[in-house]
């Protein structure tokens, strides 16, 4: 999946020493506490970044849903079985003067870079390696095209989003699945609960894949409220965000978002 280029620059050991923290820690951690960590990056996809780069996270169109070309597929060590979908990262190329460009990019995790256990070298997405497979346009802002794989430093950052958290309704007459996107704050979602009118209880939804959340019952014909918990433990409720006449494929925007 990753495009490694014809030339592979020597991957110099990163000499700047940073405090080691887990960049995907999820319980009540302030992103201001997270420091830069070493990883590698390359790119995949066409020059316009329109190749379904949201597939593994469930985003149906990264441009229509506001993520644009500032997207990345994460290696196994970072993807966390899809729990990292929606998280945002600052990335800068380091210690490869002929390959690196100055500056820092900010990307959202929208896809997965799968491991390849049949190979014994150049397997950047295999555990335990931390790797970002970037959309080509955003990769070219920090590295030369011919470089292929480059050493980088990265850190988790807050996701700045406009408007409220958004929901896309899916499923069938027996099963409901909801894509949660445009999530601000830490960006990744830890849990989702749903409630229909007349009920005082919230029903917990399970993660189907990425940021798609499901419940094994039909909710057609009901107006719905959602409670979304982010990975840092912060919670928002979107009350009656889904109208009773909703249909599969319809998108709704709440009034709230995470800071």
């Amino acid at each position: 999946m990753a495009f490694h280029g014809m030339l592979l620059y020597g991957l110099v050991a990163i000499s700047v020493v940073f405090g080691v923290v887990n960049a995907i820690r999820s319980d009540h951690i302030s992103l201001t506490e997270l420091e830069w960590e070493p990883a590698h990056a390359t790119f995949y996809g066409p020059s316009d970044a329109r190749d379904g780069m949201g597939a593994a996270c469930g985003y149906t169109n990264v441009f229509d849903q506001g993520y644009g070309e500032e997207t990345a597929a994460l290696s196994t060590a970072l993807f966390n079985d899809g729990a990292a979908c929606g998280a945002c990262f600052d990335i800068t190329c380091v210690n490869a003067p002929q390959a690196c460009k100055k500056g820092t990019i900010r990307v959202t995790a929208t896809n997965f870079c799968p491991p390849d256990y049949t190979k014994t070298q150049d397997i950047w997405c295999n555990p335990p390696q931390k790797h970002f497979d970037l959309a080509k346009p955003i990769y070219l802002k920090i590295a030369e095209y011919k470089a292929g794989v480059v050493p980088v430093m990265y850190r988790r950052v807050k996701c700045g989003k406009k408007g409220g958290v958004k929901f896309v309704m899916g499923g069938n007459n027996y099963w409901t699945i909801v894509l949660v996107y445009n999530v601000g704050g830490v960006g990744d979602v830890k849990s989702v609960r749903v409630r229909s009118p007349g009920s005082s209880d919230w029903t917990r939804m399970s993660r189907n894949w990425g940021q798609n959340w499901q419940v094994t019952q039909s909710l057609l014909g009901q107006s719905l409220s959602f409670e979304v918990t982010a990975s840092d433990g912060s919670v928002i409720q979107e009350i009656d965000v889904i109208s009773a006449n909703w249909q599969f494929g319809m998108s709704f925007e709440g009034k709230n978002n995470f800071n």
Side-chain angles (χ1 to χ4, degrees), residues 4-5 24-25 69 76 83 92 102 172 188 203 210:
H4 300 302
I24 307 296
R25 289 187 299 182
E69 63 187 29
T76 304
T92 186
K102 293 182 179 179
N172 55 39
D188 47 346
T203 298

Side-chain angles (χ1 to χ4, degrees), residues 164-169 181 241-247 249-254:
V165 171
K166 297 180 181 180
F167 307 86
V168 179
M169 305 301 296
Y181 73 103
V241 63
I242 310 298
S243 62
N245 63 346
W246 69 267
Q247 298 295 321
M250 293 179 67
S251 179
F252 297 85
E253 181 175 355

Side-chain angles (χ1 to χ4, degrees), residues 65-80:
Q65 292 169 344
Y67 300 106
E69 63 187 29
E70 293 82 16
T71 57
L74 306 186
S75 64
T76 304
L78 294 172
F79 191 66
N80 196 18

Side-chain angles (χ1 to χ4, degrees), residues 41-42 82 89 93-94 105 123 127 145-146 172 182 211 229 245:
T42 187
F89 301 85
C93 185
V94 296
I105 58 173
I123 21 184
Y145 171 83
K146 62 183 180 180
N172 55 39
N182 196 53
Q211 290 303 350
T229 302
N245 63 346

Side-chain angles (χ1 to χ4, degrees), residues 100-131:
C100 292
K101 298 178 182 178
K102 293 182 179 179
T104 300
I105 58 173
R106 180 163 296 182
V107 298
T108 301
T110 60
N111 211 346
F112 176 51
C113 183
D116 183 351
Y117 297 111
T118 66
K119 298 174 63 178
T120 57
Q121 60 184 2
D122 297 344
I123 21 184
W124 304 106
C125 291
N126 284 27
Q129 299 186 90
K130 295 179 178 180
H131 187 85

Side-chain angles (χ1 to χ4, degrees), residues 39-97:
H40 291 92
T42 187
F43 67 87
Y44 77 118
S47 58
D48 64 0
R50 293 179 181 274
D51 72 336
M53 292 186 73
C57 287
Y59 306 120
T60 53
N61 187 310
V62 293
F63 282 84
D64 291 349
Q65 292 169 344
Y67 300 106
E69 63 187 29
E70 293 82 16
T71 57
L74 306 186
S75 64
T76 304
L78 294 172
F79 191 66
N80 196 18
D81 293 327
C85 290
C88 296
F89 301 85
D90 278 351
I91 301 174
T92 186
C93 185
V94 296
N95 292 347

Side-chain angles (χ1 to χ4, degrees), residues 2-219:
F3 177 86
H4 300 302
M6 296 180 65
L7 297 179
L8 180 63
Y9 283 86
L11 302 178
V12 182
I14 297 175
S15 58
V16 182
V17 178
F18 293 83
V20 176
V21 294
N22 181 355
I24 307 296
R25 289 187 299 182
S26 61
D27 292 325
H28 302 278
I29 183 70
S30 170
L31 294 188
T32 59
E33 299 176 33
L34 299 182
E35 301 180 17
W36 293 86
E37 291 195 66
H40 291 92
T42 187
F43 67 87
Y44 77 118
S47 58
D48 64 0
R50 293 179 181 274
D51 72 336
M53 292 186 73
C57 287
Y59 306 120
T60 53
N61 187 310
V62 293
F63 282 84
D64 291 349
Q65 292 169 344
Y67 300 106
E69 63 187 29
E70 293 82 16
T71 57
L74 306 186
S75 64
T76 304
L78 294 172
F79 191 66
N80 196 18
D81 293 327
C85 290
C88 296
F89 301 85
D90 278 351
I91 301 174
T92 186
C93 185
V94 296
N95 292 347
Q98 293 180 301
C100 292
K101 298 178 182 178
K102 293 182 179 179
T104 300
I105 58 173
R106 180 163 296 182
V107 298
T108 301
T110 60
N111 211 346
F112 176 51
C113 183
D116 183 351
Y117 297 111
T118 66
K119 298 174 63 178
T120 57
Q121 60 184 2
D122 297 344
I123 21 184
W124 304 106
C125 291
N126 284 27
Q129 299 186 90
K130 295 179 178 180
H131 187 85
F132 294 87
D133 219 1
L134 301 170
K136 184 177 179 181
I138 200 69
Y139 169 90
L140 293 176
K141 292 184 177 181
I142 60 167
E144 299 291 343
Y145 171 83
K146 62 183 180 180
V149 178
V150 293
V152 299
M153 299 298 291
Y154 77 96
R155 66 179 177 182
R156 281 284 302 273
V157 293
K158 284 191 174 182
C159 303
K161 298 299 179 185
K162 295 181 180 180
V165 171
K166 297 180 181 180
F167 307 86
V168 179
M169 305 301 296
N172 55 39
N173 292 332
Y174 309 98
W175 169 67
T176 304
I177 188 166
V178 180
L179 168 65
V180 182
Y181 73 103
N182 196 53
V183 179
V186 292
D188 47 346
V189 174
K190 182 179 181 180
S191 65
V192 179
R193 299 198 299 174
V194 62
R195 188 175 70 189
S196 55
S199 174
S200 60
D201 298 324
W202 292 92
T203 298
R204 182 170 298 278
M205 306 184 79
S206 61
R207 189 190 303 274
N208 185 290
W209 86 94
Q211 290 303 350
N212 279 283
W213 297 82
Q214 68 178 14
V215 62
T216 53
Q217 64 186 82
S218 173
L219 299 175

